């Protein structure tokens, strides 16, 4: 116990003397949480639309007005030639071309049928498919408007129609920030936990102080605890800063209890700290540790359900996410913050995370050798 | 085994793959002795020392340190030894006092012991004013002397010094050796590697390693006589020239 006291005292002295760590802990969460949720949401906006209007009719004008009024599209070009508009796509000045052929109004009125042509720049796949879908639904909407204007609708529609009303549970306004902020907080905790621990230990390897420790009777278990505890506590500091920002700037107050969040975070931090330890035992210098944790972070973030929904991944990728601690924490955060889940609701997640913690730390302790 | 033998090595060997870093070395070190461990770069001195300190697992052979077996009792050995590595290994971002406190503490010393010992070392090194200065701001010579004091802070039976005076000016080197004599007079056995042949003259006995083997082992005066050399420098050159292994 006495040994641990000395190890902790030394570690805290070093941490508080390192301005880089303090800056990292205080500034990183603030910047990430203030900037990212605004920029990184799932909605596609500002789609650049090039209109090829070869009809010059009232209806064509109305349609274009309706599209630009939707707020999703910016009118980037307006011309009479399709080739000209295609050129805009080639130069990346337009994402979508909508061609209104000559005779659009005439056909619509006379034949009750008209065609439009849409071409999409699919280099940015998300923008193209969502843009196409938005445009399609606006045109459908317009179509209905025209029909009601022209045709006296019978009392009972000859066509069967299903009307849908939906309500969004747990996030009624579909506010993306409610969804993103808890997720970004998870990434922050992961980075602080895994990277700082790994770099800290590898730094001692580089300087040679770890050899000096290895030649003392300090047990490796004590040494590792002396490294884990300070970064575990720092993780709580980051979590608290993050939850405060979520509340002050985004008005996000967890529906569930803070207690649940902190209990799960405690176990989660143990798991990522263990991972950091593991990275450090397999790296002999800071560059190696950085690259290895960067590689892991990429996988964790992209396969963690923050930016892409896990349910829409292929089956094999969904299997990978089951071995990704980040995905559990993101799920738990969203459950507790948005849905108000309690400890009992997340017990399976908690058990799995405990498993991760035991696995990573156990592996790290076993592979740490005082003697080579 | 005699109680006076604090280190014994018998056919001690360490191989890294095909490379035999330490090749069946045997020697004994007596209590209170200053034992010089000489050899060119890459001769295997550090590897041999690391095996005795419990940092490196021997491939074969036997060795005891402070009467304890290096294979099975390596963690117990660590209580009885101090170690100063080639790399400077105090914490740069801790103060002089904090370093002593830390190393005293992890060797399980009592607070009162740490306090009085810290005071006496600071006085010996004339570092009272620098007690609360970060170690990184001290000049190299002072750092080395401090590192030695920290290595013997817990009053070990044996202290291992791996090229402790590398890069240090002659005056500080002389002061450093005074500290070594002082430790030896207090009954601490000193096991030291060095490249400076004048330092070899200060040792009670020296061994000279060439290509992983001990080529010569005796008191400096005897060695000079045996190799018809005027100084330890000549002895070393005569032996080290036989080396086939490239220095690193």
């Amino acid at each position: 116990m006495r040994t641990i006291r000395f190890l902790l005292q030394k570690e805290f002295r070093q941490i508080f003397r390192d301005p880089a760590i303090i800056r990292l802990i205080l500034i990183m969460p603030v910047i990430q949480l203030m900037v990212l949720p605004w920029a990184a949401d799932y909605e596609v906006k500002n789609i650049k639309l090039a209109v090829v209007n070869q009809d010059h009719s009232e209806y064509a004008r109305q349609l274009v007005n309706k599209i630009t009024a939707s707020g999703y599209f910016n009118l980037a070009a307006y011309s009479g030639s399709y080739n000209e508009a295609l050129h805009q796509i080639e130069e990346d000045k337009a994402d979508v071309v909508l061609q209104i052929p000559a005779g659009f109004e005439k056909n619509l009125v006379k034949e009750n049928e008209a065609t439009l042509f849409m071409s999409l720049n699919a280099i940015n796949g998300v923008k193209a498919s969502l843009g196409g879908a938005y445009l399609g639904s606006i045109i459908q909407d317009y179509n209905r408007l025209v029909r009601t204007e022209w045709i006296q609708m019978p009392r009972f529609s000859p066509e069967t129609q299903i009307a849908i009303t939906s309500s969004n549970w747990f996030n009624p306004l579909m506010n993306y920030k409610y969804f993103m902020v808890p997720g970004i907080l998870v990434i922050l905790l992961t980075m602080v936990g895994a990277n700082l621990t790994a770099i800290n230990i590898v730094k001692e390897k580089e300087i040679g102080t770890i050899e000096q420790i290895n030649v003392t009777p300090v047990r490796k278990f004590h040494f590792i605890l002396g490294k884990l505890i300070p970064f575990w506590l720092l993780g709580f500091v980051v979590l608290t800063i993050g939850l405060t920002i979520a509340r002050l700037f985004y008005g996000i107050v967890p529906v569930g209890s803070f207690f649940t969040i902190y209990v799960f975070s405690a176990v989660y931090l143990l798991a990522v700290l263990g991972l950091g330890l593991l990275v450090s035992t397999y790296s002999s210098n800071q560059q190696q540790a950085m690259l290895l944790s960067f590689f892991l972070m990429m996988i964790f973030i992209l396969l963690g359900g923050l930016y892409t929904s896990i349910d829409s991944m292929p089956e094999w990728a969904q299997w990978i996410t089951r071995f990704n601690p980040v995905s559990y924490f993101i799920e738990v955060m969203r459950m507790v913050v948005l849905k108000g889940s309690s400890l009992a609701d997340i017990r399976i997640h908690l058990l799995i995370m405990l498993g991760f913690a035991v696995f990573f730390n156990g592996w790290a302790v076993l592979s740490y050798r005082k003697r080579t | 085994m005699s109680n006076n033998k604090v280190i014994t090595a018998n056919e001690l060997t360490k191989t890294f793959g095909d490379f035999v870093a330490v090749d069946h070395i045997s020697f004994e070190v007596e209590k209170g002795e200053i034992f010089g461990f000489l050899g060119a770069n890459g001769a295997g001195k550090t590897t041999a020392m690391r095996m005795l300190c419990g940092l490196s697992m021997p491939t074969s052979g036997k060795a005891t340190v402070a009467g304890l077996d290096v294979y099975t009792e390596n963690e117990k050995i660590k209580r009885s030894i101090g170690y100063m590595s080639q790399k400077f290994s105090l914490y740069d971002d801790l103060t002089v006092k904090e370093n002593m406190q830390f190393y005293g503490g992890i060797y399980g010393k009592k607070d009162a012991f740490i306090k009085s010992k810290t005071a006496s070392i600071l006085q010996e090194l004339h570092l009272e004013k620098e007690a609360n200065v970060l170690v990184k701001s001290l000049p190299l010579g002072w750092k080395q002397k401090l590192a030695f004091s920290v290595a013997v802070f817990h009053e070990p039976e044996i202290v291992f010094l791996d090229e402790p005076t590398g890069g240090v000016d002659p005056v500080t080197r002389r002061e450093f050796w005074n500290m070594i004599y002082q430790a030896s007079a207090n009954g601490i056995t000193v096991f030291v590697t060095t490249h400076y042949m004048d330092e070899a003259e200060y040792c009670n006995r020296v061994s000279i390693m060439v290509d992983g083997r001990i080529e010569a082992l005796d008191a400096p005066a005897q060695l000079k006589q045996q190799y018809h050399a005027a100084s330890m420098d000549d002895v070393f050159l005569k032996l080290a020239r036989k080396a086939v292994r490239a220095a690193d």
Side-chain angles (χ1 to χ4, degrees):
Chain A
M1 246 15 258
R2 232 178 101 76
T3 313
I4 291 190
R5 196 193 89 196
F6 280 101
L7 287 167
L8 288 179
Q9 188 184 39
K10 165 218 154 226
E11 213 58 61
F12 276 116
R13 277 176 173 156
Q14 289 181 302
I15 288 170
F16 286 118
R17 268 176 210 161
D18 188 346
I21 292 190
I22 300 298
R23 255 178 267 155
L24 209 67
I25 288 165
L26 298 179
I27 297 174
M28 195 166 80
V30 175
I31 290 181
Q32 289 214 356
L33 281 170
M34 305 262 272
V35 176
L36 289 185
W38 298 95
D41 70 24
Y42 300 106
E43 264 188 284
V44 172
K45 282 179 189 156
N46 305 325
I47 303 164
K48 290 167 280 183
L49 175 74
V51 173
V52 182
N53 192 346
Q54 293 159 334
D55 195 44
H56 302 290
S57 61
E58 178 61 18
Y59 276 131
R61 200 186 50 76
Q62 267 181 19
L63 177 62
V64 174
N65 273 349
K66 194 166 166 55
I67 293 167
T68 48
S70 70
Y72 292 103
F73 296 92
N74 294 340
L75 195 60
Y78 194 91
S79 65
S81 132
Y82 178 73
N83 283 340
E84 210 173 290
L86 198 64
H87 194 64
Q88 299 280 328
I89 283 197
E90 284 166 356
E91 288 192 334
D92 203 29
K93 286 179 183 156
D95 301 309
V96 180
V97 173
L98 177 71
Q99 189 183 15
I100 307 173
F104 169 73
E105 187 182 64
K106 201 178 84 191
N107 288 338
L108 192 65
V109 176
K110 275 191 154 173
E111 319 282 336
N112 233 341
E113 198 176 273
T115 46
L116 291 169
F117 180 71
M118 194 160 44
S119 63
L120 307 164
N121 177 6
I123 285 180
N124 183 339
V126 178
K127 216 169 186 181
S129 64
L130 278 178
Y134 289 167
L135 200 54
S137 85
I138 293 170
I139 293 169
Q140 287 302 320
D141 215 35
Y142 179 70
N143 187 16
R144 247 194 317 276
L145 209 77
V146 172
R147 276 176 43 187
T148 43
E149 203 175 295
W150 277 87
I151 309 157
Q152 188 58 50
M153 278 290 207
R155 199 185 162 97
F156 298 101
S157 170
E159 281 173 64
T160 336
Q161 274 190 354
I162 299 174
I164 304 164
T165 23
S166 61
S167 68
N168 305 312
W169 279 84
F170 309 122
N171 188 359
L173 298 174
M174 288 287 271
N175 186 340
Y176 284 102
K177 288 171 194 84
Y178 278 39
F179 198 60
M180 290 306 287
V181 170
I184 291 171
L185 194 50
V186 169
I187 299 294
L188 269 170
L189 275 192
T190 314
M191 300 224 294
V192 168
N195 290 8
L196 283 187
T197 326
I199 301 274
N200 177 285
I201 297 177
V202 173
K203 202 167 138 196
E204 289 219 26
K205 268 192 198 176
E206 276 185 4
I207 302 172
T209 43
I210 204 155
E211 187 163 277
Q212 200 66 44
I213 298 285
N214 286 344
V215 86
T216 68
V218 168
R219 293 211 196 124
K220 65 178 179 181
F221 176 66
H222 286 166
F223 176 73
I224 285 176
L225 264 187
K227 288 289 180 195
L228 285 185
I229 295 170
F231 290 104
W232 192 66
L233 293 175
L234 285 186
F236 282 118
V237 173
V238 171
L239 178 67
T240 310
I241 293 176
L243 289 173
T244 312
I245 292 176
R247 177 169 198 151
L248 291 182
F249 289 89
Y250 301 104
I252 300 174
V253 183
V255 183
S257 73
F258 281 108
F259 177 73
T260 313
I261 294 178
Y262 276 90
V263 167
F264 191 83
S265 303
V267 181
Y268 178 78
L269 278 168
L270 267 187
V272 289
L273 290 173
L275 190 72
L277 278 177
L278 204 53
V279 167
S280 75
T281 51
Y282 287 101
S283 323
S284 45
N285 55 49
Q286 295 187 55
Q287 283 93 323
Q288 283 176 13
M290 279 301 279
L291 279 175
L292 192 54
S293 42
F294 187 72
F295 166 75
L296 289 173
M297 286 307 290
M298 284 295 279
I299 295 178
F300 282 176
I301 293 174
L302 292 179
L303 291 179
L306 179 62
Y307 295 112
T308 34
S309 164
I310 291 174
D311 295 323
S312 52
M313 291 176 190
E315 185 123 12
W316 58 266
Q318 292 196 24
W319 265 101
I320 297 177
T321 65
R322 276 171 217 166
F323 297 97
N324 178 357
V326 174
S327 71
Y328 293 93
F329 196 17
I330 288 182
E331 211 173 292
V332 164
M333 272 299 236
R334 286 173 177 168
M335 281 166 82
V336 178
V337 172
L338 296 176
K339 226 157 78 173
S341 302
S342 67
L343 270 181
D345 300 318
I346 60 160
R347 64 185 184 279
I348 302 290
H349 292 79
L350 201 59
L351 275 176
I352 293 174
M353 201 45 64
L354 208 59
F356 274 115
V358 171
F359 177 73
F360 287 140
N361 286 293
W363 186 359
V365 172
L366 286 179
S367 60
Y368 177 77
R369 296 248 177 281
K370 283 181 82 177
R371 177 150 73 165
T372 50
Chain B
M1 192 190 68
S2 156
N3 274 340
N4 281 336
K5 306 267 183 279
V6 287
I7 303 174
T8 66
N10 194 357
E11 303 284 303
L12 194 63
T13 302
K14 175 84 183 186
T15 59
F16 298 102
D18 292 337
F19 179 74
V20 187
V22 174
D23 194 359
H24 299 87
I25 59 168
S26 303
F27 62 90
E28 285 171 343
V29 179
E30 303 213 358
K31 188 168 169 52
E33 206 176 8
I34 300 177
F35 189 80
F37 210 56
L38 274 52
N41 288 331
K45 299 180 308 266
T46 301
T47 310
M49 187 181 260
R50 286 171 55 88
M51 282 193 278
L52 296 174
C53 293
L55 286 172
S56 175
M57 186 66 134
T59 311
S60 65
K62 279 185 187 150
T64 63
V65 174
L68 300 160
D69 185 68
V70 291
Y71 289 94
T72 54
E73 296 170 302
N74 59 314
E75 287 301 307
K76 271 192 200 159
I77 288 175
K78 287 173 183 171
R79 299 203 166 273
S80 325
I81 62 169
Y83 174 71
M84 181 177 163
S85 75
Q86 237 165 336
K87 279 187 185 177
F88 175 73
S89 46
L90 294 180
Y91 287 96
D92 255 351
D93 46 359
L94 294 184
T95 67
V96 172
K97 208 168 161 180
E98 286 164 354
N99 265 293
M100 289 194 252
Q101 225 176 31
F102 173 68
Y103 281 109
I106 61 173
Y107 275 103
K109 294 294 174 194
K110 295 269 176 295
D111 288 337
F113 175 89
I114 294 174
K115 208 174 166 192
S116 67
K117 186 85 182 176
T118 303
S120 73
I121 289 178
L122 287 175
Q123 197 189 357
E124 256 173 65
L125 298 177
H126 306 294
L127 278 176
E128 289 108 325
K129 276 190 206 137
E130 283 78 16
N132 295 316
V133 162
L134 292 187
V135 165
K136 68 173 141 209
S137 54
L138 294 179
L140 179 70
W142 291 18
K143 282 188 190 177
Q144 294 300 88
K145 285 195 279 181
L146 182 64
F148 177 75
S149 303
V150 170
V152 294
F153 190 94
H154 59 289
E155 301 180 342
E157 275 184 61
I158 308 151
V159 63
F160 291 89
L161 309 172
D162 195 1
E163 291 175 28
T165 53
V168 169
D169 68 76
V171 177
T172 314
R173 266 205 303 139
R174 181 58 66 91
E175 286 168 0
F176 195 92
W177 273 87
N178 284 337
M179 292 173 71
I180 291 179
Y181 276 124
Q182 185 60 46
S184 170
N186 291 340
I188 297 179
T189 308
V190 180
F191 187 100
V192 56
T193 74
T194 180
H195 284 305
Y196 298 105
M197 288 308 131
D198 58 326
E199 292 185 353
E201 310 262 8
Y202 302 151
C203 299
N204 299 122
R205 283 194 307 148
V206 296
S207 80
I208 299 179
M209 267 185 103
V210 179
D211 287 353
R213 288 182 306 278
I214 292 184
E215 286 291 320
L217 197 171
D218 216 329
Q222 262 76 43
L223 283 177
K224 280 184 276 189
Q225 205 174 24
Q226 190 185 337
Y227 288 91
H228 309 290
S231 65
M232 277 308 290
D233 218 20
D234 291 338
V235 176
F236 183 76
L237 286 175
K238 278 183 180 172
L239 285 165
R241 279 204 185 113
K242 290 200 257 170
V244 284
R245 200 187 272 175
D248 51 19

